[in-house]
Amino acid sequence: LAQLGGRMMTERTTVLGGATGLADSGAQYVTVTDDADVAEAHKPLYDSLAAAGVLVPMRGRIEGGRAADGGGTNYVAPQGVASIVERVFSMSSLSPCCSRRAAALRHVAARGEEARSRWELTSADGRCEQFDGVVVACPIPDMLALIDTGEGGAWLDGASGVGRADLTGVQYSSRYALTLFYPASAAAVFAAHIDWAARYVSKADDDAIVYLAHDSAKRGGEDGGAVSLVVHTSVPYGIRALKAAEPEESVLADLRARVGKLLPWLPEPESLVLRPWRVSQVRYPVALPGGAACLPLRPAAGGRAAPALVLAGDAFSPLGSRFDGCVQSGESAAAAVLAALVGT
């Protein structure tokens, strides 16, 4: 990946006149959970992000809605949702490395007087590094493929309470995101025709498109920057087109025609991006014992202290694919790694 964040992705471009264009093609806005205890626990993080200007309350109008959002405050990221992830990393001592794919994860036994064994991670480029603990937070199909390259798969098979079948049974939604960029002069055209920042589209209006976002307005207004429009398809449309291996040119043409019917006044875009989200939101998270938000794995056999291996991500949080769910699982995973290290 070229940027941090996964589904919290911000498209970037430059349009005529040199104006910068931003658009959130995945996650659209952050809604505080209705779970009062979790909301209170995460309040310091929200306050920190707000104080840094990374998050601001959403002021634009949402036409329609969805029950999954709940009634919490909606926030947007003026510089795109990817800036949230970038800010969280900057608050830590971690130095993330992008564009390197983890290809294999192997358990390396302790040597000599070493107190614990380690994990050796091999990248697709052949680079090998060793770690005292590993947190795997990618989508479950990729997660299983990685841990099955080494002993992690056997650790999962030997786990009690939750097994491989529980993980393989997790389903994800699939959809397409279409982003269209326009010059700054198009802001007047948009303002003359719509007064919403985001709109949930009913099946009666279109059976493939479920969401539209006047994205540049959603993030706080257009102050000379490029105008952006984001389109999300329904899950059935995404699954059907992806399974049928529909050419992207055909999907693009179909979606542009549909958008044209919904918004017939749209000018021609200067640039556009069609992004297939094969793995989007998790439909139903893994039900972990005691409402846990991550799954630490341990070897069935005893011996010297084993290195931490923790499975985490939105698929493991009771809150699922929302910001609070990601934070909840991340904090639980950090606590599990720390417990394993301190317990040496």
Side-chain angles (χ1 to χ4, degrees):
L1 292 176
Q3 62 176 268
L4 299 170
R7 201 171 61 86
M8 298 184 77
M9 174 171 283
T10 302
E11 310 285 358
R12 294 175 170 88
T13 192
T14 302
V15 298
L16 185 67
T20 299
L22 301 176
D24 296 324
S25 59
Q28 292 295 295
Y29 48 88
V30 173
T31 304
V32 178
T33 178
D34 289 333
D35 186 314
D37 292 337
V38 175
E40 181 63 26
H42 293 174
K43 188 176 184 300
L45 176 59
Y46 277 91
D47 289 346
S48 174
L49 292 171
V54 176
L55 284 181
V56 299
M58 185 175 182
R59 295 185 175 86
R61 185 174 74 86
I62 301 177
E63 185 173 293
R66 61 173 191 166
D69 281 349
T73 301
N74 292 325
Y75 289 93
V76 294
Q79 296 304 311
V81 291
S83 67
I84 302 173
V85 184
E86 292 164 0
R87 175 65 182 182
V88 171
F89 269 101
S90 72
M91 294 162 60
S92 73
S93 59
L94 299 175
S95 299
C97 179
C98 297
S99 300
R100 282 177 58 195
R101 182 175 65 84
L105 185 65
R106 185 173 66 92
H107 184 216
V108 179
R111 299 175 182 175
E113 300 300 319
E114 292 180 351
R116 71 165 52 243
S117 53
R118 291 184 172 185
W119 288 107
E120 183 177 83
L121 181 66
T122 303
S123 303
D125 61 6
R127 191 179 313 183
C128 292
E129 296 177 90
Q130 292 189 2
F131 300 93
D132 294 315
V134 172
V135 176
V136 188
C138 52
I140 286 178
D142 301 315
M143 177 183 293
L144 294 177
L146 178 62
I147 67 173
D148 280 341
T149 60
E151 293 78 2
W155 291 18
L156 173 62
D157 294 333
S160 60
V162 174
R164 182 179 293 268
D166 297 290
L167 272 62
T168 55
V170 171
Q171 297 180 352
Y172 291 86
S173 60
S174 299
R175 68 178 78 245
Y176 286 89
L178 171 62
T179 304
L180 304 102
F181 291 101
Y182 304 87
S185 58
V189 179
F190 275 70
H193 288 89
I194 58 174
D195 64 350
W196 43 261
R199 171 188 169 188
Y200 286 93
V201 180
S202 68
K203 285 185 178 180
D205 290 331
D206 192 273
D207 62 358
I209 294 173
V210 296
Y211 176 84
L212 300 168
H214 180 188
D215 194 82
S216 42
K218 179 202 73 179
R219 289 180 288 98
E222 289 134 350
D223 51 357
V227 178
S228 54
L229 179 73
V230 172
V231 182
H232 282 181
T233 72
S234 69
V235 172
Y237 180 94
I239 291 176
R240 183 170 61 252
L242 288 167
K243 281 189 175 181
E246 289 284 349
E248 289 196 2
E249 295 81 2
S250 299
V251 175
L252 178 59
D254 182 41
L255 294 181
R256 291 199 62 185
R258 291 173 180 272
V259 173
K261 291 179 180 179
L262 292 170
L263 307 174
W265 47 267
L266 275 179
E268 278 294 308
E270 280 206 2
S271 64
L272 52 82
V273 179
L274 178 65
R275 189 171 295 280
W277 288 104
R278 293 182 178 275
V279 177
S280 184
Q281 298 101 319
V282 62
R283 297 189 65 184
Y284 303 103
V286 179
L288 296 174
C294 71
L295 180 60
L297 298 180
R298 306 284 296 177
R304 293 192 185 183
L309 177 60
V310 183
L311 309 185
D314 53 356
F316 294 87
S317 167
L319 298 175
S321 293
R322 57 190 303 151
F323 183 64
D324 284 299
C326 297
V327 173
Q328 182 185 55
S329 186
E331 291 182 337
S332 296
V337 170
L338 183 60
L341 293 176
V342 173
T344 299

